[in-house]
Every structure is written in structure tokens, then in C-alpha cells.
């Protein structure tokens, strides 16, 4: 298959929309990461996403919409709390888990009676969803297990010749995936942390939200049963082993420098992840691209300092810990 490379022009959006309506797969930019999209109601097309990604069938895909008018196609009831979340965060990097309507295929929901719904803010994502004229099921556009793509080039690396089209909308604004919040219980529960944090929800909704207790547990913990199926898989894994150092800043830098020198003396290629000045926001923006660079540069070892685990730092550390296989050293 020849993959078509599309721009965000009106004509290219028309082409992308047509591909989706005809059962094809289109990768598209969003403000979080690139998604790999298909018509959410076309079970065969969604099945193809799982095949090309190598994604386990029990891991549901998020359904993307551009207008609230589409909600009625996906979920039977819009509760007052859902209205509040949409008013506060949509369009934007927040996915709501809601009851599904029976017409949403089980391949899309990973066999669940619930469905994740998100309205992205990225203008190219919105134009694409409008052109597709149907809700679009889309997991992140990476091979299962690899870091999520934050540029069209990352998508090309994983899927050139295997999907119908890739829309190049430049680098993603945020760089980590949306906050997933379960709206089906009495109190909203964050299942996957993101740029919008528990504090943001509390502030904007006026009520506290809860966190899935699994977010503070390691996979080997017998009580590790995350409610979002995707959270149980080891994601974002670079080829090289990765170690995270936690402790006083000076000691951390010293420990990293020392280990780097030791391994370089053995002839190894050691990469230290150094993020920009804006703390966790820059780390979110840069992490996945840096992990892919490390693979491309044949790193033998990746070292990083832990981020303070609050706000967006907690969300980025959630990804970093998985990348490192929870290999964290206290210094
Ligand atoms: O920012 C994002 O969310 C990106 C862009 C493309 O929108 N998408 C994304 O999709 O990250 P994916 O498939 O890589 O991650 C979706 C996460 C998974 O952890 C999945 O298990 C969870 O959302 N999820 C989806 N539907 C769910 C449901 N009905 N119940 C619980 N978890 C769900
Ligand atoms: Mg993903």
C-alpha cells in the first residue's frame, strides 16, 4: 500500500475525510499526540487499526468528535456532570468515559459497555473530523508498545506503507495523551493523568474528583488493577534500558554524571534526558520525541532525573516510569 502524505489544506482534508468514509485508516494530528483514525462504526476498519498497531483487542479506542451534536450517536445520556466537564475542558485534551449506545461496535470499545469520547481542540483535527462526517475511533498512531507520536515523521517511522494516509499538522502542542476521566460513577475518576490535572478538575468543576488507586501502584503490586485497560500495558518503551534518579537535585545530577562516565568508559552510548526550562510542561512536550531519538541513535543506556510528582509532573512521570520499566534509584 502507498501511504498518501497530506497537508492540512481544505482539499487534503476532503481527501482524508473520503478515505475514512470508505473504510480506510488516516493518521491525524491533535493537540496531545497523533491519532490513527477510522470510522468508529465501521467494525472492519477499526479492526484494521488493531492489526496494524499490534494492539491487544481488549484495549478500547477513544471516539473523536468535532461537535456536541454527534454525542447522541455514541452515548445514550448526557448527564449534568458530563455537561460541566465539556463546558470546562472541550474542545481540549480530556476524554470522558461514558455509557455506550449499542450501535457502537465492541471492537471500538474493547468489548466494554462504556466508550471514551474526546473533542480535540487542534484546528487540523477538527477540520479532519468535520470532513470525515462521522465519529472517528483513534488510538495513538504508534506501534503498540512504542512511544506515542508527536510529529508526522514519528507516524511515518511506524506506519509508512501500512495505512492509507498521514496528515502532517506539525508537532503536537502538548505531547502527552489526554486525561481520561470516568464519568459513569457517582464521582468522576481520573483513569489516565494528562495535561489537565486533578487540581484543574477540582478548580473548574467546583467538586473534587478521585484518582484510580492503580495510578499509585506498580504493575507487580497484587492490587494493580487499572480501570483503563491500556494502563496495564508496558508502553513507551525505548530499546535501551532506562534509569530514573530521584532525590535532591545536586545528588541526582552527580549520580547521573557518574553513571554516564562509567558506562562511556565501557564504550557505551549514554543518553541523558534533559528537558527545557518550563519544568513538566516542557518534559511533556519533549519526552516521547527524545525516547524515539534515543532508539534512532542506538543508545545503550538512557538516564533521567525524576520530576516532582505533582500536577503535570505526575502525568509525565506516569509515562517515564513505564519507559524505564519502573527502574527508579533513590539517591
Ligand atoms: O490524547 C489522546 O487521548 C490520544 C489522541 C489521539 O486523542 N489518544 C490516545 O489513545 O492516547 P490510546 O488508545 O493510545 O489511549 C486510550 C486510553 C487507553 O488507556 C484505553 O484503555 C483508555 O483510554 N480507554 C478508552 N476507552 C475506555 C473505556 N471505555 N473505559 C476505560 N478506559 C478506556
Ligand atoms: Mg496509545
Amino acid at each position: 500500500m502507498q501511504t498518501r502524505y497530506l497537508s492540512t489544506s481544505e482539499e487534503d482534508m476532503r481527501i482524508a475525510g473520503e478515505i475514512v468514509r470508505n473504510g480506510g485508516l488516516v493518521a491525524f494530528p491533535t493537540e496531545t499526540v497523533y491519532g490513527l483514525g477510522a470510522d468508529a462504526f465501521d467494525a472492519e476498519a477499526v479492526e484494521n487499526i488493531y492489526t496494524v498497531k499490534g494492539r491487544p483487542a481488549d484495549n478500547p479506542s477513544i471516539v473523536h468528535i468535532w461537535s456536541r451534536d454527534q454525542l447522541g450517536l455514541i452515548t445514550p445520556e448526557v448527564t449534568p456532570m458530563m455537561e460541566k466537564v465539556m463546558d470546562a475542558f472541550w474542545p481540549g485534551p480530556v476524554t470522558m468515559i461514558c455509557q455506550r449506545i449499542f450501535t457502537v461496535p465492541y471492537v471500538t470499545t474493547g468489548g466494554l459497555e462504556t466508550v471514551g469520547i474526546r473533542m480535540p481542540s487542534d484546528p487540523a483535527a477538527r477540520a479532519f473530523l468535520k470532513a470525515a462526517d462521522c465519529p472517528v475511533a483513534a488510538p495513538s498512531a504508534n506501534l503498540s508498545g512504542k512511544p506515542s507520536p508527536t510529529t508526522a515523521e514519528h507516524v511515518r517511522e511506524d506506519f509508512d506503507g501500512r495505512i492509507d494516509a498521514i496528515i502532517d499538522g506539525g508537532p503536537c502542542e502538548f505531547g502527552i495523551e489526554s486525561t481520561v476521566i470516568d464519568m459513569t460513577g457517582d464521582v468522576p475518576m481520573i483513569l489516565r493523568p494528562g495535561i489537565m490535572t486533578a487540581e484543574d478538575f477540582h478548580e473548574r468543576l467546583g467538586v473534587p474528583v478521585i484518582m484510580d488507586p492503580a495510578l499509585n501502584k506498580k504493575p507487580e503490586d497484587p492490587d494493580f488493577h487499572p480501570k483503563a485497560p491500556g494502563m496495564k500495558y508496558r508502553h513507551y518503551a525505548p530499546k535501551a534500558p532506562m534509569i530514573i534518579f530521584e532525590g535532591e537535585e545536586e545528588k541526582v545530577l552527580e549520580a547521573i554524571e557518574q553513571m554516564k562516565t562509567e558506562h562511556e568508559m565501557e564504550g557505551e552510548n549514554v543518553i541523558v534526558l534533559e528537558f527545557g526550562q518550563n519544568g513538566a510542561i516542557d518534559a511533556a512536550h519533549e519526552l516521547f520525541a527524545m525516547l524515539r531519538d534515543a532508539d534512532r541513535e542506538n543508545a545503550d543506556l538512557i538516564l533521567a532525573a525524576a520530576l516532582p510528582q505533582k500536577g503535570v509532573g505526575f502525568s509525565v512521570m506516569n509515562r517515564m516510569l513505564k519507559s524505564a520499566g519502573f527502574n527508579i534509584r533513590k539517591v
Side-chain angles (χ1 to χ4, degrees):
M1 174 189 290
Q2 176 109 28
T3 301
R4 292 187 74 160
Y5 286 85
L6 302 175
S7 73
T8 56
S9 72
E10 215 170 295
E11 170 59 9
D12 279 7
M13 290 300 176
R14 198 190 55 72
I15 294 169
E18 205 172 284
I19 293 173
V20 166
R21 280 196 306 282
N22 289 328
L25 305 190
V26 175
F28 62 100
T30 82
E31 68 278 18
T32 56
V33 300
Y34 275 71
L36 181 55
D39 177 348
F41 293 98
D42 184 337
E44 210 175 302
V46 178
E47 189 79 53
N48 284 337
I49 299 181
Y50 284 72
T51 306
V52 298
K53 272 184 66 90
R55 180 174 174 99
D58 75 343
N59 192 5
S61 296
I62 295 169
V63 176
H64 296 70
I65 58 176
W66 68 275
S67 161
R68 286 199 202 182
D69 292 343
Q70 296 171 292
L71 276 173
L73 297 169
I74 308 164
T75 189
E77 188 198 3
V78 176
T79 64
M81 192 53 93
M82 281 166 65
E83 293 271 7
K84 272 193 167 186
V85 170
M86 291 189 288
D87 289 346
F89 297 103
W90 276 12
V94 168
T95 297
M96 294 194 301
I97 305 301
C98 313
Q99 298 302 333
R100 84 169 181 130
I101 288 187
F102 72 96
T103 45
V104 181
Y106 279 130
V107 267
T108 299
T109 69
L112 299 176
E113 293 305 333
T114 54
V115 56
I117 315 175
R118 170 159 124 75
M119 187 192 285
S121 60
D122 182 88
R126 293 179 63 75
F128 162 66
L129 293 170
K130 200 168 174 179
D133 199 29
C134 61
V136 169
S140 50
N142 53 283
L143 290 170
S144 204
K146 287 241 262 170
S148 295
T150 57
T151 66
E153 174 59 24
H154 297 159
V155 182
R156 195 191 62 75
E157 276 169 20
D158 286 7
F159 294 120
D160 185 45
R162 304 192 62 204
I163 60 176
D164 297 278
I166 300 174
I167 301 171
D168 189 345
C172 300
E173 180 185 355
F174 296 125
I176 58 169
E177 308 86 345
S178 61
T179 306
V180 175
I181 188 151
D182 184 359
M183 303 302 295
T184 63
D186 294 335
V187 181
M189 185 195 278
I190 292 181
L191 308 187
R192 178 174 72 181
I195 293 289
M196 296 304 161
T197 63
E199 298 83 48
D200 293 321
F201 279 91
H202 189 178
E203 202 171 289
R204 297 202 207 168
L205 303 182
V207 292
V209 298
I210 48 180
M211 300 285 263
D212 184 343
L215 291 175
N216 287 309
K217 296 191 167 78
K218 290 185 187 180
E220 55 268 29
D221 189 316
D223 292 329
F224 179 77
H225 303 296
K227 293 204 171 55
M231 297 298 280
K232 68 175 181 280
Y233 296 107
R234 188 188 171 199
H235 282 306
Y236 320 119
K239 290 187 191 130
M242 173 167 160
I243 306 172
I244 300 172
F245 292 84
E246 187 173 58
E248 242 174 70
E249 193 181 344
E250 224 166 276
K251 284 192 182 153
V252 164
L253 294 180
E254 213 171 280
I256 288 178
E257 202 45 50
Q258 193 184 336
M259 184 166 284
K260 182 172 186 276
T261 312
E262 278 169 22
H263 283 258
E264 281 178 344
M265 276 174 10
E266 305 285 320
E268 289 187 9
N269 180 15
V270 182
I271 292 189
V272 180
L273 303 187
E274 284 172 276
F275 305 119
Q277 297 299 306
N278 292 315
I281 292 289
D282 279 353
H285 197 248
E286 295 159 5
L287 175 67
F288 292 152
M290 284 184 176
L291 293 174
R292 280 178 180 263
D293 285 347
D295 277 356
R296 207 175 308 108
E297 290 161 25
N298 294 313
D300 295 304
L301 181 65
I302 303 169
L303 306 176
L307 301 170
Q309 294 229 33
K310 52 177 199 289
V312 177
F314 178 77
S315 309
V316 180
M317 275 297 280
N318 171 269
R319 275 76 173 175
M320 277 175 67
L321 284 164
K322 286 184 191 180
S323 306
F326 291 84
N327 192 355
I328 187 159
R329 301 239 173 122
K330 308 238 191 274
V331 294

